[in-house]
Amino acid sequence: MNPSSSAHPGGEHRTVLVTGGSRGIGAQIVRRLAERGVQVGASFNSSPQQAEELAVELGDRVAPVHYRLGSESSARDAVSAMTSTFGGLDAVIVNAGFWKGGLIERVSHEEWWSVIDANVSSLSYMARAVLPSLRQAKDPSIVLVASVVGLIGHAGDTAYGAAKAAMVGFARSLAKEVGRDGIRVNVLAPGFVDTDMTSAVPDTARERIYDETVLRRFGTADEIAKAAVFLSEDATYCTGSVLSVDGGWSL
Ligand SMILES: NC(=O)c1ccc[n+]([C@@H]2O[C@H](COP(=O)([O-])OP(=O)(O)OC[C@H]3O[C@@H](n4cnc5c(N)ncnc54)[C@H](OP(=O)(O)O)[C@@H]3O)[C@@H](O)[C@H]2O)c1
């Protein structure tokens, strides 16, 4: 057992990597974990400044970590950075994602593949990188942030929808591979949240999504973050689960 994780579930000394943790939903997951006393790696790709500002806001428990989707060596380096900074790694929340929309007949092969590679190939890179550390941890966990689009579909999102649906199959297969090691693997499927990623969604599409959302409002990053922390830290008898946090959009 890794001594760095000995105080779970109180949070003290537990260590979690949150990919895409520098802004949007990921930054809120980092805040929620840090307030529980968890040591958190907040990954960034192109803009270290926001991850550094988060570390200043939250103190020594939070460290910026570089991570780039679609790169096996970057996944390995991010995990190494976590273990050298904090002495171990108990869980990863795979939150970084790449969205590119477009109707199927207008999406080039390169655009299609960029979405599949960033969102799906990266799962195998990250799993291979983290499993040796997670096998040393107490209550190790992997959470994949997918999307309601992977469950119910959305016109103009065939690549993104295919990638997010693949996360469910990946998680359930991996859960069966690593359950005997005590490693839980779960999926979170958020609905619509106002972030930089959704800022380009046109008003007509926003209005349609709003009308289809049973609670008649969009979600907040904090509402998604609380569910991610639940799956990572508290859902100790859940594996292979898919938790929709979408205001009823998928009903
Ligand atoms: N917002 C929604 O309505 C919604 C709904 C369902 C699911 N989701 C999913 O939730 C997750 C977070 O979405 P968000 O809306 O919070 O996104 P966001 O606000 O755009 O944040 C993106 C985060 O991911 C990092 N990132 C971007 N491109 C990356 C790359 N190529 N490699 C590694 N890291 C990268 C960014 O770091 P840099 O700033 O350094 O680039 C940043 O930390 C995604 O997986 C998304 O698909 C979002």
Side-chain angles (χ1 to χ4, degrees), residues 20 22-23 25 45-47 67 69 95 146 160 164 191 193 195 198:
S22 62
R23 57 188 166 90
I25 292 167
N45 175 41
S46 54
S47 49
Y67 168 64
L69 288 165
N95 165 77
Y160 182 76
K164 291 299 188 178
V193 178
T195 64
T198 50

Side-chain angles (χ1 to χ4, degrees), residues 38-60:
V38 175
Q39 303 178 125
V40 197
S43 99
F44 63 92
N45 175 41
S46 54
S47 49
Q49 191 184 339
Q50 282 163 298
E52 281 158 12
E53 284 169 5
L54 202 56
V56 169
E57 175 192 326
L58 298 169
D60 288 347

Side-chain angles (χ1 to χ4, degrees), residues 184-201:
R184 299 179 291 108
V185 188
N186 292 293
V187 176
L188 182 63
F192 193 95
V193 178
D194 267 316
T195 64
D196 294 340
M197 183 179 275
T198 50
S199 61
V201 176

Side-chain angles (χ1 to χ4, degrees), residues 141-192:
S141 156
I142 299 173
V143 176
L144 307 182
V145 179
S147 168
V148 66
V149 171
L151 305 180
I152 63 169
H154 188 247
D157 273 334
T158 52
Y160 182 76
K164 291 299 188 178
M167 294 175 94
V168 176
F170 180 91
R172 290 187 161 153
S173 299
L174 184 63
K176 290 184 176 183
E177 282 188 27
V178 299
R180 72 182 65 181
D181 300 321
I183 302 172
R184 299 179 291 108
V185 188
N186 292 293
V187 176
L188 182 63
F192 193 95

